[in-house]
Amino acid sequence: KRLRQLIGPTTEKRGSGIVAGVEDVRRLVGKARRRAAAAAAGAAAAMDGVGDEPRSSALERFVAQLGRNYQHMLDRSTIYVKSRWGGLAVLLALYLLRVYLLNGWFIVTYGLGIFLLNLFIGFISPQIDPETDGPVLPTGKDGEFRPFSRRVPEFKFWLGSFNATIFATLLTFFKMFDVPVFWPILLIYFISLFFLTMRRQISHMVKHKYVPWSSGKTRYNKKDPVNAPGSGEGKPKGLSL
């Protein structure tokens, strides 16, 4: 009994110490596992970000390259004026033929006509309004030559018309845009709007004495080099013996 009394408390204390140590180890292991899981999740998120960045940058490079190629084509086409307008005339003819054969999409055609009329009015209108900013062209023959500056330049007029015709052609492939209307009313209204707008524009030209093209610039004949600039006119002639 005496031996048991001496050994018992010591063994009990040792057992409780071992249990406490095991619990501490378990808590440390749990903390280590949670930290490892958090680190793994952070690494996975970082890897996903690294994978998405090249993908997005590649898409941006492709879009930028496509835009540069498109702009390069537009820049190269600026000098081919007749070819550009000829292609637009063919495209408009094909669109009108499609609308006629399908017998529909008259409201789309009316919208296209209004848009083209608006571009045309801007094309024949001066960039500076004479009523607010003074005369656009010189009033006398000896005045300084100023070319007619349009509110809508020729290239923008063509590009806007081309894009609008392509867009209207695409709309004819969707039945939802074929709104049933009585097309003769739209045609009469468009013709009336065209004549009223042109009448007002012509009155504006007559009032301010300008025409929608450049005129008055001195042109020299290649066969007459005497009057051409730099031909030596006005220099003293040498004396002949």
Side-chain angles (χ1 to χ4, degrees):
K1 291 181 180 180
R2 184 62 179 172
L3 183 61
R4 289 180 180 179
Q5 291 176 358
L6 293 174
I7 298 175
T10 305
T11 307
E12 186 177 356
K13 291 180 180 178
R14 290 180 179 177
S16 61
I18 293 173
V19 172
V22 171
E23 291 296 332
D24 293 338
V25 171
R26 287 181 179 178
R27 284 195 295 269
L28 292 175
V29 171
K31 289 182 180 180
R33 287 180 178 177
R34 288 192 293 270
R35 290 178 181 176
M47 291 299 294
D48 292 339
V50 171
D52 291 339
E53 185 177 357
R55 199 177 305 148
S56 62
S57 62
L59 181 61
E60 291 175 358
R61 287 196 300 269
F62 174 76
V63 173
Q65 183 65 30
L66 191 63
R68 285 193 295 268
N69 292 337
Y70 177 71
Q71 187 62 41
H72 180 66
M73 290 175 55
L74 291 179
D75 294 339
R76 291 186 61 183
S77 65
T78 53
I79 59 176
Y80 304 103
V81 180
K82 295 182 180 180
S83 300
R84 287 191 284 106
W85 286 101
L88 178 60
V90 172
L91 186 62
L92 275 173
L94 292 176
Y95 170 77
L96 294 176
L97 180 62
R98 176 176 174 79
V99 171
Y100 174 76
L101 295 177
L102 295 177
N103 194 21
W105 288 274
F106 300 114
I107 194 69
V108 175
T109 306
Y110 175 75
L112 176 62
I114 294 296
F115 183 78
L116 295 181
L117 178 61
N118 187 27
L119 287 178
F120 179 70
I121 294 300
F123 177 71
I124 63 176
S125 299
Q127 186 178 10
I128 301 175
D129 192 359
E131 294 182 354
T132 57
D133 300 321
V136 179
L137 298 176
T139 55
K141 290 184 178 180
D142 298 332
E144 180 184 359
F145 171 74
R146 302 178 192 171
F148 182 77
S149 181
R150 307 179 186 276
R151 192 173 65 191
V152 177
E154 178 270 333
F155 185 77
K156 288 187 176 180
F157 180 29
W158 170 82
L159 184 60
S161 303
F162 185 83
N163 292 334
T165 307
I166 291 292
F167 183 71
T169 305
L170 292 178
L171 291 182
T172 58
F173 289 93
F174 299 95
K175 194 67 177 178
M176 60 188 304
F177 296 105
D178 186 13
V179 181
V181 292
F182 188 58
W183 67 267
I185 294 180
L186 292 179
L187 181 60
I188 293 173
Y189 184 73
F190 177 77
I191 293 175
S192 303
L193 183 63
F194 176 79
F195 279 104
L196 289 175
T197 307
M198 291 304 300
R199 180 182 178 182
R200 184 180 62 184
Q201 189 66 29
I202 292 174
S203 300
H204 191 268
M205 294 179 188
V206 173
K207 178 181 178 180
H208 297 285
K209 299 178 181 180
Y210 72 91
V211 289
W213 58 79
S214 299
S215 62
K217 183 178 181 180
T218 305
R219 299 181 181 275
Y220 300 98
N221 191 357
K222 295 181 180 180
K223 296 181 180 180
D224 188 14
V226 177
N227 296 324
S231 59
E233 183 180 2
K235 294 181 180 179
K237 298 181 180 179
L239 297 177
S240 58
L241 299 179

